[in-house]
Amino acid sequence: MRDPQHSFEAAHGLMAQSDGGEMLERAAALMKDAADQNHVGAANNYGAMLQYGRGVNLSLEQALVYYQKAAELGLVEGVFNLGFMYLHGLGTDKDVDVARRLFEQAAAGDDVDALTHLGRMAMLGEGGAKDFNAARIYWTKGAKLGDSRCAFNLGIANAGGHGAPPDFIMAYAWFLEAEKLGNDMAPAELNKLRSVMSEIEIEDAEKLSLEISVSAN
């Protein structure tokens, strides 16, 4: 039996060189070997290979099994991937309640994908109570971790007054942060706000953006 770490590293090496075909199939076999020996990263990666049919036949049901293994072994990304499968009913029945619980677990480990999804679910009341304040808390945490989607969503929430009165200054500041973090949609939203904000308001928003900025970290 191969050492699981060796199999995992060998699989990554083959994947880096491969554009498909036999080499990718060999990588998948090595990844499965490591995953079956409870290598947590391999379990998550093999789940992804099964989900997208990379080097193996696509099987959402088996992808779910390996994501479950990765989650049980404590990998935050595995917990998120498992939640994503339940959210969209991939390889299992759709269950937004289970998805939200799994995203909460992953978010506790600072997974920004989970924080992004949780904010949306809390804003819409999907898989639990509608909670605008919780949505903002999730997205703020994600933005502080450098996620441009969360910063952008905070801009939308503040501009639209979701759960609170509209706050264009705060919205502008978060759109600026989203733009700094590379969000392609933020510039258009900034232009919209410039058409309805005074120069003083924009100056205040730019000052506020310096206080909340994480893009220099």
Side-chain angles (χ1 to χ4, degrees), residues 143-164:
K144 293 293 185 182
L145 289 168
D147 188 82
S148 72
R149 298 164 300 175
C150 288
F152 180 84
N153 289 344
L154 284 167
I156 293 293
N158 280 287
H162 301 297

Side-chain angles (χ1 to χ4, degrees), residues 7 10-11 14 21-32 49 55:
S7 293
L14 289 172
E22 182 181 350
M23 190 175 291
L24 188 58
E25 292 175 2
R26 288 168 53 202
L30 287 165
M31 197 69 76
K32 182 180 187 301
M49 297 179 89

Side-chain angles (χ1 to χ4, degrees), residues 61-139:
E61 292 78 10
Q62 281 299 301
L64 189 79
V65 169
Y66 280 91
Y67 285 146
Q68 178 77 50
K69 179 188 283 284
E72 290 175 352
L73 291 169
L75 187 69
V76 170
E77 292 87 347
V79 176
F80 169 78
N81 287 333
L82 187 62
F84 186 87
M85 300 290 276
Y86 277 101
L87 178 65
H88 296 285
L90 302 175
T92 186
D93 293 334
K94 181 175 180 177
D95 193 328
V96 294
D97 294 341
V98 170
R100 187 159 170 173
R101 288 198 298 271
L102 288 165
F103 289 155
E104 287 169 350
Q105 182 182 341
D110 292 346
D111 186 280
V112 292
D113 290 322
L115 289 162
T116 301
H117 280 72
L118 270 176
R120 183 189 63 79
M121 295 180 83
M123 190 68 71
L124 298 175
E126 188 176 14
K130 183 179 289 188
D131 190 335
F132 296 119
N133 186 57
R136 290 168 185 258
I137 290 171
Y138 290 133
W139 285 336

Side-chain angles (χ1 to χ4, degrees), residues 1-2 37 46 77 82 96 107 118 120 173 183 187 198 200 210:
M1 183 176 290
R2 297 185 183 91
Q37 294 185 67
Y46 190 60
E77 292 87 347
L82 187 62
V96 294
L118 270 176
R120 183 189 63 79
N183 190 285
S198 68
I200 293 176
L210 296 176

